[in-house]
């Protein structure tokens, strides 16, 4: 079965073609174009959606061409229906709906966060992991129980990706700033104390954000190092407690921030202590991409028919723990 997946929740417009044979998936093509705001600025939803609208025909045709596939070969089409930025989500939905209605192809609106999790499982081979989803839009610890992904800890304010991006922007870099912060952090080993806030099993980054800004004049590399050590240790503490509580023997990190080597190092040492296997999404597929959307729809199509066109909405706030999983 062949599926076209369309991702447009935030900065990335991506189309991917995946094939499912039984439980196995294969990525035939995954093409992306990323909206980059001016240095020092964040995502402007209207500008990002304009970027997606302008780039969507090129990304789609490049994707089909690189897989050597025509639209008539598609069995299903899918798009990320949320959570995300409304104007951006609508572009992906319109492209998917146009293809579905014109060519009579079943359409699957899917949850973006669930796509991160399922593609991570498919690519790493993890079967029943505790999952850490760390990206621009999420900071969540999740475990599967009773047909749903349940939350065992999350951020109370901004996400880990937002924290890194906002500090980077404050220092004058262009978003996304995670790789730049990682690079600067690796050049220092001097720790400046910063607010460490874990409440119950949730984390809060807003105090850390304000305090990091204040130490930047004393040295950007030291500020980045201290920021990473503090934020990643907070997440590590919550992960460790969730591992003890759930007793999971596998752990998987997904989302754009999963590309960070220092974060993996900290999480790997926690897994070692708990006799737990450590998995991390391959860097190329850790951040937002059409493959996540396509693979999730291929899984959902094993259990349900496509949606009616009149039900192909977008939902800006669509929590992953509200999705009933029946595949
Ligand atoms: P996503 O929303 O899943 O596409 O993830 C995007 C987020 O991942 C942005 O906030 C980036 O700054 C962040 N990111 C990407 N690469 C890295 C990295 N090497 N270290 C930390 N954060 C990263
Ligand atoms: Mg994402």
């Amino acid at each position: 079965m062949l599926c076209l997946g369309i991702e447009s929740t935030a900065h990335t417009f991506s189309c991917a073609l995946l094939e499912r044979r039984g439980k196995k998936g294969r990525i035939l093509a995954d093409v992306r174009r990323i909206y980059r705001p001016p240095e020092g600025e964040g995502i402007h939803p209207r500008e990002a959606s304009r970027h997606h609208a302008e780039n969507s025909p090129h990304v789609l045709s490049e994707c089909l061409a690189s897989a050597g596939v025509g639209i008539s070969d598609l069995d299903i089409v899918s798009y990320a229906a949320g959570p995300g930025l409304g104007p951006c989500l609508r572009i992906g939905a319109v492209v998917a709906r146009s293809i579905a209605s014109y060519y009579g192809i079943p359409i699957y609106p899917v949850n973006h966060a669930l796509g991160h999790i399922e593609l991570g499982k498919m690519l790493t081979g993890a079967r029943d992991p505790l999952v850490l989803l760390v990206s621009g839009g999420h900071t969540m610890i999740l475990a599967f129980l009773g047909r749903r992904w349940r939350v065992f800890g999350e951020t109370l304010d901004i996400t880990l990706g937002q924290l890194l991006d906002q500090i980077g922007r404050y220092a004058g870099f262009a978003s996304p700033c995670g790789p730049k912060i990682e690079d600067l952090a690796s050049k220092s080993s001097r720790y400046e104390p910063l607010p460490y806030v874990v409440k119950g099993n949730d984390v809060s980054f807003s105090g850390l954000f304000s305090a990091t800004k204040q130490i930047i004049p004393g040295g950007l590399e030291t500020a980045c190092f201290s920021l990473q050590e503090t934020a990643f240790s907070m997440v590590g503490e919550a992960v460790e407690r969730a591992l003890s509580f759930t007793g999971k023997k596998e752990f998987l990190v997904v989302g754009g921030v999963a590309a960070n080597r220092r974060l993996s190092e900290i999480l790997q040492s926690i897994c070692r202590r708990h006799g737990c296997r450590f998995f991390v999404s391959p860097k190329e597929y850790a951040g937002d991409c059409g493959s996540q959307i396509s693979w999730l729809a291929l899984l959902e199509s094993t259990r349900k028919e496509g949606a009616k066109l009149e039900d192909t909405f977008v939902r800006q706030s669509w929590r992953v723990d509200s999705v009933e999983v029946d595949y």
Side-chain angles (χ1 to χ4, degrees), residues 248-249 270-277:
K248 295 282 183 198
K249 290 293 161 212
I270 291 169
C271 287
R272 233 175 275 129
R273 270 204 298 282
H274 286 261
C276 175
R277 286 185 72 192

PDB file of all heavy atoms in Angstrom, residues 248-249 270-277:
ATOM      1  N   LYS A 248       9.031   0.300  32.082  1.00  0.00           N
ATOM      2  CA  LYS A 248       9.298   0.003  30.663  1.00  0.00           C
ATOM      3  C   LYS A 248      10.761  -0.407  30.476  1.00  0.00           C
ATOM      4  O   LYS A 248      11.646   0.132  31.147  1.00  0.00           O
ATOM      5  CB  LYS A 248       9.009   1.231  29.788  1.00  0.00           C
ATOM      6  CG  LYS A 248       7.551   1.642  29.772  1.00  0.00           C
ATOM      7  CD  LYS A 248       6.728   0.771  28.867  1.00  0.00           C
ATOM      8  CE  LYS A 248       5.294   1.261  28.827  1.00  0.00           C
ATOM      9  NZ  LYS A 248       4.358   0.266  28.323  1.00  0.00           N
ATOM     10  N   LYS A 249      10.985  -1.330  29.557  1.00  0.00           N
ATOM     11  CA  LYS A 249      12.342  -1.823  29.311  1.00  0.00           C
ATOM     12  C   LYS A 249      12.925  -1.258  28.013  1.00  0.00           C
ATOM     13  O   LYS A 249      14.006  -1.650  27.573  1.00  0.00           O
ATOM     14  CB  LYS A 249      12.346  -3.363  29.268  1.00  0.00           C
ATOM     15  CG  LYS A 249      12.104  -3.967  30.641  1.00  0.00           C
ATOM     16  CD  LYS A 249      13.297  -3.642  31.559  1.00  0.00           C
ATOM     17  CE  LYS A 249      12.968  -3.794  33.027  1.00  0.00           C
ATOM     18  NZ  LYS A 249      13.706  -2.856  33.893  1.00  0.00           N
ATOM     19  N   ILE A 270      20.934   7.230  31.975  1.00  0.00           N
ATOM     20  CA  ILE A 270      19.767   6.891  32.814  1.00  0.00           C
ATOM     21  C   ILE A 270      19.254   5.497  32.434  1.00  0.00           C
ATOM     22  O   ILE A 270      18.970   4.668  33.299  1.00  0.00           O
ATOM     23  CB  ILE A 270      18.648   7.951  32.635  1.00  0.00           C
ATOM     24  CG1 ILE A 270      19.115   9.280  33.248  1.00  0.00           C
ATOM     25  CG2 ILE A 270      17.333   7.490  33.254  1.00  0.00           C
ATOM     26  CD1 ILE A 270      18.235  10.471  32.928  1.00  0.00           C
ATOM     27  N   CYS A 271      19.158   5.236  31.127  1.00  0.00           N
ATOM     28  CA  CYS A 271      18.672   3.929  30.670  1.00  0.00           C
ATOM     29  C   CYS A 271      19.585   2.806  31.149  1.00  0.00           C
ATOM     30  O   CYS A 271      19.118   1.742  31.555  1.00  0.00           O
ATOM     31  CB  CYS A 271      18.570   3.895  29.147  1.00  0.00           C
ATOM     32  SG  CYS A 271      17.181   4.854  28.555  1.00  0.00           S
ATOM     33  N   ARG A 272      20.893   3.048  31.124  1.00  0.00           N
ATOM     34  CA  ARG A 272      21.857   2.031  31.578  1.00  0.00           C
ATOM     35  C   ARG A 272      21.569   1.659  33.025  1.00  0.00           C
ATOM     36  O   ARG A 272      21.543   0.485  33.382  1.00  0.00           O
ATOM     37  CB  ARG A 272      23.280   2.579  31.436  1.00  0.00           C
ATOM     38  CG  ARG A 272      24.186   1.635  30.650  1.00  0.00           C
ATOM     39  CD  ARG A 272      25.550   2.244  30.411  1.00  0.00           C
ATOM     40  NE  ARG A 272      25.577   3.089  29.227  1.00  0.00           N
ATOM     41  CZ  ARG A 272      26.036   4.338  29.180  1.00  0.00           C
ATOM     42  NH1 ARG A 272      26.528   4.922  30.255  1.00  0.00           N
ATOM     43  NH2 ARG A 272      26.023   5.012  28.063  1.00  0.00           N
ATOM     44  N   ARG A 273      21.330   2.675  33.858  1.00  0.00           N
ATOM     45  CA  ARG A 273      21.044   2.426  35.283  1.00  0.00           C
ATOM     46  C   ARG A 273      19.791   1.600  35.486  1.00  0.00           C
ATOM     47  O   ARG A 273      19.653   0.901  36.470  1.00  0.00           O
ATOM     48  CB  ARG A 273      20.840   3.761  36.017  1.00  0.00           C
ATOM     49  CG  ARG A 273      22.082   4.368  36.589  1.00  0.00           C
ATOM     50  CD  ARG A 273      21.770   5.297  37.747  1.00  0.00           C
ATOM     51  NE  ARG A 273      20.944   6.442  37.424  1.00  0.00           N
ATOM     52  CZ  ARG A 273      21.401   7.550  36.819  1.00  0.00           C
ATOM     53  NH1 ARG A 273      22.670   7.645  36.486  1.00  0.00           N
ATOM     54  NH2 ARG A 273      20.599   8.556  36.578  1.00  0.00           N
ATOM     55  N   HIS A 274      18.836   1.699  34.528  1.00  0.00           N
ATOM     56  CA  HIS A 274      17.544   1.017  34.690  1.00  0.00           C
ATOM     57  C   HIS A 274      17.441  -0.253  33.848  1.00  0.00           C
ATOM     58  O   HIS A 274      16.348  -0.812  33.710  1.00  0.00           O
ATOM     59  CB  HIS A 274      16.402   1.969  34.322  1.00  0.00           C
ATOM     60  CG  HIS A 274      16.178   3.005  35.372  1.00  0.00           C
ATOM     61  ND1 HIS A 274      15.192   2.919  36.320  1.00  0.00           N
ATOM     62  CD2 HIS A 274      16.857   4.144  35.653  1.00  0.00           C
ATOM     63  CE1 HIS A 274      15.266   3.959  37.123  1.00  0.00           C
ATOM     64  NE2 HIS A 274      16.266   4.726  36.740  1.00  0.00           N
ATOM     65  N   GLY A 275      18.542  -0.686  33.268  1.00  0.00           N
ATOM     66  CA  GLY A 275      18.529  -1.901  32.442  1.00  0.00           C
ATOM     67  C   GLY A 275      17.525  -1.773  31.297  1.00  0.00           C
ATOM     68  O   GLY A 275      16.785  -2.714  30.987  1.00  0.00           O
ATOM     69  N   CYS A 276      17.514  -0.601  30.671  1.00  0.00           N
ATOM     70  CA  CYS A 276      16.502  -0.279  29.665  1.00  0.00           C
ATOM     71  C   CYS A 276      17.202  -0.032  28.337  1.00  0.00           C
ATOM     72  O   CYS A 276      18.252   0.609  28.289  1.00  0.00           O
ATOM     73  CB  CYS A 276      15.797   0.983  30.174  1.00  0.00           C
ATOM     74  SG  CYS A 276      14.615   1.691  29.096  1.00  0.00           S
ATOM     75  N   ARG A 277      16.648  -0.524  27.224  1.00  0.00           N
ATOM     76  CA  ARG A 277      17.267  -0.292  25.909  1.00  0.00           C
ATOM     77  C   ARG A 277      16.977   1.129  25.438  1.00  0.00           C
ATOM     78  O   ARG A 277      15.849   1.608  25.562  1.00  0.00           O
ATOM     79  CB  ARG A 277      16.732  -1.274  24.868  1.00  0.00           C
ATOM     80  CG  ARG A 277      17.283  -2.671  25.054  1.00  0.00           C
ATOM     81  CD  ARG A 277      16.823  -3.578  23.925  1.00  0.00           C
ATOM     82  NE  ARG A 277      17.494  -3.251  22.665  1.00  0.00           N
ATOM     83  CZ  ARG A 277      17.121  -3.736  21.482  1.00  0.00           C
ATOM     84  NH1 ARG A 277      16.079  -4.533  21.393  1.00  0.00           N
ATOM     85  NH2 ARG A 277      17.783  -3.432  20.387  1.00  0.00           N
TER      86      ARG A 277
END
